[in-house]
Amino acid sequence: MAGSPHLRGPPMLSFQQRSGPTRVEDPRPMSVLAPGYYLRWFARPLILAVAVLLTLFVATGFLGLQYWQERQAAHHFTEHSRQVLETLDRLRAIVAELETERRGYLMTLDPAYLKAYGVSDESVRREAQALQTLVADDPLQGLRAGHLALTVAATLREIDELLKTAGTSGQAALAMIRSMDEIRSQIDQMVDHERFRLANREARAEAFERRWTWLIAGAVVLVVALAGAALALARLEAKRRRKATEENIQLQSDLAARDIKIRRLFDANIIGIIIWEVQGRILEANDAFLRIVGYDREDLASGRLHRTDLTPPEWRDRDLQTVAELKRVGTAHPFEKEYVRKDGSRVPVLIGGTMFGEGTDNGVGFVLDLTALKRAEAEGREHERRYREALMELAHANRVTTMGQLTASIAHEVNQPIAAIVANAEAGLNWLEAQPPNLERVRQTLDWITNDGMRAGDIIGRIRALIRNAPPQKENLEINQAVLEVIALTRSEAFKNGVSVRTQFDEGLPPIQADRVQLQQVVLNLIVNAIEAMAAVGEGGRELLISTGRDGSDGVHVTLRDSGPGLDPQNMERLFDAFYTTKPTGMGMGLAICRSIIEAHGGRMWAGPNEPRGAVFQFTLPLASDQTASRAMSAGEPMGLRSVVR
């Protein structure tokens, strides 16, 4: 950039190998600005001034030449016009003299008036020819001069003829002599035209004189301004030189301070620092690097430290890519790899490096030991695993607690098919004791007993599935069927609290991929919470509406709307926090576990107020993959749109 000091770049650091603590040699001191640099900068304003002066001189010379040529042309034109006017004056005088002679003779017939006969005629012709020669370069004047010469010649011939018959035609001769007025008129026209041209030329010369005067004045002003600008630039350049010198001194001081910092960094052994060749030989290293790889300075001094020996075979291809990157761009971005220690063990490291400069094979590398980081990552993964296990145990405990709350409902659900089995068995015995036995009725009764037994088995199976502590296992399932199974378990609890459960399922929902037990736990918690909330309502209907549908983001949307007391807007944000509850005997983990289950399945869960009263809990779940979903849809049966009031 113009005006900035031309400073030398920072010197390359060199390292000495020795047995003691590693040190960095002092960099070469930075030189001050060369005198030629100052002269070059100082010469720039002078060069500009000289260039402007030369331009001004050339322009002045060109305009001076033009002025001289204009003056010469004006002088020539003036001289030429003067000659033309003098010739016209002589021609007018000769014509006047000729007219006087002829008129005197015709008036008196005295031959004395003709004593110079022939001399005036010749003078007129000579002056007319001279006039034609002078105005030959002017087409208009030349045409007038030619016409004047013809008129003069014709008039002279006519006058001569009249003189021969002067005695008989005196009045005609006088009339013919008056025709000389036409010649004078033509001469006067030529005189007026020539004087007009002379006046116009003189006006142009005066205007050029004025322009020349302004040009000289402008040149003087420009020279003065240029001299002032050159002086200002010289002072500015001197100021810049002083500033550049100060900056150079400050930079030299900064470089020295930076060298001290680099030396401290190298000797501080915070990270491993190595000086290497591109071929792989390690020239110098600090103690931190030697501790990482387990070698000592004797190994370094003997040249036994080589990148190839320190790199495991599976990492050598990556090293070749790094070398190619160093040769191409001069810098290798940090990356993780492993080193083989002296004892044969491996150590994970983060390494990066850069070349010292173009045209050299040496560079510096920075090595960071990742052993502690890897150990911390492993411990973090172990903690995460334990956290997941604890969360699963807590979710299982929540399921068991909820199932304990529904003991009466579950007992009622189980007792119904058992009681039906006993009643049907007694009826079957009665039909067998009849005479004759009604075998058709017995067969029908046995079918009822079989159906009731399968119904009881299904109830027991669903209960066992909900309370068992099995690891999560995602499968393709229909959301409507999973919700119906949970509704069946809570039917008696809802009837006991006077709650009507209504379902509104969307038609033909695609299957989702989820863990059936965890998903049913979410629905079970939400239904039980809604029943308990509506149980405290003294007046008004108690209704729970469970609906399913498609989500706008290509998923399944489940909504539970109750007519309970609703949610407190001030605590809406804390609703899903762990250990937050509004129940006197609650633990505050149910909704937190529900949200964690939904989010683990890739969905989201939220709550809000219901209109005109109550609360709304909603959650979404993503669909299964296209291939599995298509297979599940082809194998399953559409649920249809159900609206059942129980």
Side-chain angles (χ1 to χ4, degrees):
M1 182 181 296
S4 61
H6 182 68
L7 301 177
R8 298 178 57 187
M12 182 185 300
L13 298 178
S14 61
F15 296 84
Q16 290 183 344
Q17 298 179 358
R18 56 187 179 87
S19 58
T22 307
R23 68 179 182 88
V24 183
E25 290 186 354
D26 294 333
R28 293 174 293 175
M30 177 164 291
S31 62
V32 297
L33 296 176
Y37 175 80
Y38 290 134
L39 292 177
R40 184 171 68 252
W41 270 103
F42 183 70
R44 290 186 179 182
L46 298 180
I47 292 174
L48 179 63
V50 171
V52 174
L53 288 175
L54 288 176
T55 304
L56 183 62
F57 177 75
V58 172
T60 305
F62 175 76
L63 294 176
L65 178 62
Q66 186 179 5
Y67 174 74
W68 180 79
Q69 292 177 350
E70 186 72 18
R71 291 293 300 271
Q72 291 293 328
H75 178 73
H76 176 72
F77 184 82
T78 304
E79 183 65 23
H80 178 267
S81 297
R82 186 182 60 79
Q83 294 178 1
V84 171
L85 292 175
E86 290 178 354
T87 303
L88 289 173
D89 290 340
R90 288 196 302 271
L91 185 59
R92 182 187 291 112
I94 295 173
V95 169
E97 183 181 356
L98 180 63
E99 181 183 5
T100 302
E101 292 176 358
R102 300 305 192 266
R103 182 182 299 163
Y105 175 74
L106 290 175
M107 295 297 294
T108 62
L109 297 178
D110 185 1
Y113 286 100
L114 298 177
K115 60 181 178 179
Y117 179 74
V119 176
S120 299
D121 295 348
E122 185 63 28
S123 297
V124 170
R125 293 187 180 90
R126 185 172 61 251
E127 293 298 334
Q129 291 178 357
L131 180 62
Q132 285 182 306
T133 304
L134 288 174
V135 298
D137 56 344
D138 188 351
L140 180 59
Q141 290 289 76
L143 181 62
R144 288 175 176 174
H147 184 265
L148 178 61
L150 294 176
T151 303
V152 168
T155 303
L156 290 177
R157 285 195 301 271
E158 292 177 0
I159 291 174
D160 290 340
E161 292 295 333
L162 290 173
L163 290 176
K164 294 178 180 179
T165 58
T168 60
S169 183
Q171 294 298 325
L174 290 175
M176 188 63 66
I177 290 174
R178 293 192 193 97
S179 64
M180 296 294 288
D181 293 338
E182 181 182 356
I183 297 176
R184 283 193 294 272
S185 176
Q186 293 183 10
I187 292 174
D188 292 339
Q189 289 180 359
M190 293 187 68
V191 169
D192 293 340
H193 179 76
E194 196 65 30
R195 287 178 177 174
F196 176 77
R197 289 184 63 193
L198 183 60
N200 188 22
R201 190 67 180 186
E202 289 177 351
R204 288 178 56 189
E206 291 178 358
F208 188 79
E209 287 287 347
R210 287 194 299 271
R211 289 198 303 270
W212 175 254
T213 303
W214 280 108
L215 177 63
I216 296 300
V220 172
V221 172
L222 182 61
V223 170
V224 173
L226 184 60
L231 180 60
L233 288 175
R235 294 181 62 183
L236 178 62
E237 189 60 34
K239 183 177 179 181
R240 285 181 178 177
R241 284 191 298 151
R242 289 194 301 270
K243 184 178 179 181
T245 303
E246 294 173 357
E247 290 179 353
N248 196 16
I249 295 173
Q250 182 64 34
L251 181 59
Q252 186 176 3
S253 176
D254 293 343
L255 287 175
R258 187 180 66 176
D259 177 64
I260 294 174
K261 293 178 182 179
I262 294 175
R263 188 183 300 111
R264 288 179 179 175
L265 174 64
F266 193 85
D267 294 337
N269 295 312
I270 299 174
I271 61 173
I273 301 177
I274 57 176
I275 308 300
W276 38 254
E277 291 179 343
V278 175
Q279 292 75 13
R281 188 165 66 95
I282 297 177
L283 305 177
E284 182 58 272
N286 63 351
D287 294 338
F289 177 79
L290 295 177
R291 285 196 302 268
I292 292 174
V293 296
Y295 287 86
D296 52 26
R297 292 214 164 266
E298 293 182 0
D299 299 322
L300 179 63
S302 62
R304 288 194 294 269
L305 283 180
H306 198 278
R307 183 182 65 246
T308 305
D309 299 333
L310 294 175
T311 303
E314 64 269 20
W315 287 99
R316 290 175 183 173
D317 291 340
R318 181 64 178 87
D319 271 8
L320 294 177
Q321 297 177 8
T322 303
V323 171
E325 183 180 0
L326 285 169
K327 292 181 178 180
R328 185 176 65 257
V329 299
T331 301
H333 295 286
F335 66 96
E336 293 185 14
K337 63 172 292 185
E338 289 182 337
Y339 272 147
V340 178
R341 294 170 55 87
K342 188 176 182 179
D343 57 5
S345 61
R346 295 192 178 189
V347 55
V349 296
L350 178 69
I351 184 172
T354 183
M355 302 290 291
F356 278 135
E358 296 182 359
T360 178
D361 292 336
N362 298 342
V364 60
F366 303 93
V367 183
L368 180 63
D369 188 356
L370 299 180
T371 303
L373 179 61
K374 296 297 182 182
R375 185 183 302 113
E377 290 179 353
E379 292 176 356
R381 288 191 295 269
E382 180 64 19
H383 292 328
E384 180 70 17
R385 185 186 63 80
R386 292 178 181 177
Y387 168 76
R388 293 296 180 186
E389 291 179 355
L391 186 62
M392 290 178 60
E393 292 293 337
L394 189 59
H396 176 255
N398 179 264
R399 288 198 301 270
V400 173
T401 302
T402 305
M403 295 301 294
Q405 296 175 357
L406 298 176
T407 302
S409 297
I410 294 173
H412 177 74
E413 289 295 325
V414 175
N415 286 333
Q416 275 189 343
I418 293 177
I421 290 173
V422 173
N424 289 329
E426 291 178 353
L429 291 175
N430 293 332
W431 291 116
L432 286 175
E433 292 176 355
Q435 295 298 330
N438 193 339
L439 298 180
E440 182 63 29
R441 288 289 187 178
V442 172
R443 186 181 299 108
Q444 184 178 12
T445 302
L446 292 176
D447 289 339
W448 290 343
I449 292 173
T450 302
N451 292 334
D452 290 336
M454 293 179 63
R455 177 185 171 191
D458 290 340
I459 294 173
I460 299 300
R462 288 196 291 269
I463 294 173
R464 292 181 60 188
L466 277 174
I467 64 175
R468 66 190 176 97
N469 190 15
Q473 184 176 0
K474 290 186 179 181
E475 58 179 321
N476 292 332
L477 57 90
E478 293 183 358
I479 186 65
N480 296 341
Q481 185 64 34
V483 174
L484 284 176
E485 292 176 358
V486 178
I487 293 175
L489 292 177
T490 59
R491 181 168 48 197
S492 298
E493 186 72 16
F495 179 77
K496 182 178 67 176
N497 290 277
V499 176
S500 66
V501 180
R502 203 161 51 89
T503 59
Q504 188 174 354
F505 295 157
D506 200 355
E507 182 180 357
L509 288 178
I512 61 174
Q513 192 173 36
D515 182 88
R516 180 182 294 272
V517 175
Q518 292 184 354
L519 180 59
Q520 288 182 340
Q521 177 183 355
V522 172
V523 178
L524 180 63
N525 282 353
L526 296 178
I527 292 177
V528 171
N529 289 343
I531 292 174
E532 292 179 351
M534 287 185 289
V537 177
E539 298 179 356
R542 301 176 182 178
E543 182 178 286
L544 175 62
L545 174 61
I546 305 175
S547 60
T548 61
R550 290 295 294 267
D551 182 48
S553 59
D554 197 13
V556 173
H557 186 198
V558 181
T559 305
L560 290 88
R561 302 177 183 270
D562 64 60
S563 58
L567 303 173
D568 187 1
Q570 296 181 356
N571 298 324
M572 191 73 69
E573 296 181 356
R574 301 175 54 197
L575 193 61
F576 294 95
D577 293 344
F579 306 109
Y580 172 76
T581 179
T582 58
K583 301 178 183 178
T585 60
M587 295 178 57
M589 293 300 299
L591 291 178
I593 293 175
C594 290
R595 171 174 274 188
S596 65
I597 291 174
I598 295 299
E599 291 179 350
H601 283 76
R604 64 188 187 95
M605 188 175 188
W606 68 98
N610 188 25
E611 296 296 339
R613 64 188 178 91
V616 179
F617 285 84
Q618 306 178 69
F619 64 88
T620 61
L621 290 171
L623 300 180
S625 60
D626 295 340
Q627 185 176 1
T628 57
S630 61
R631 288 202 300 265
M633 286 294 292
S634 61
E637 178 182 356
M639 295 296 299
L641 181 63
R642 302 183 179 93
S643 179
V644 182
V645 179
R646 294 182 176 87

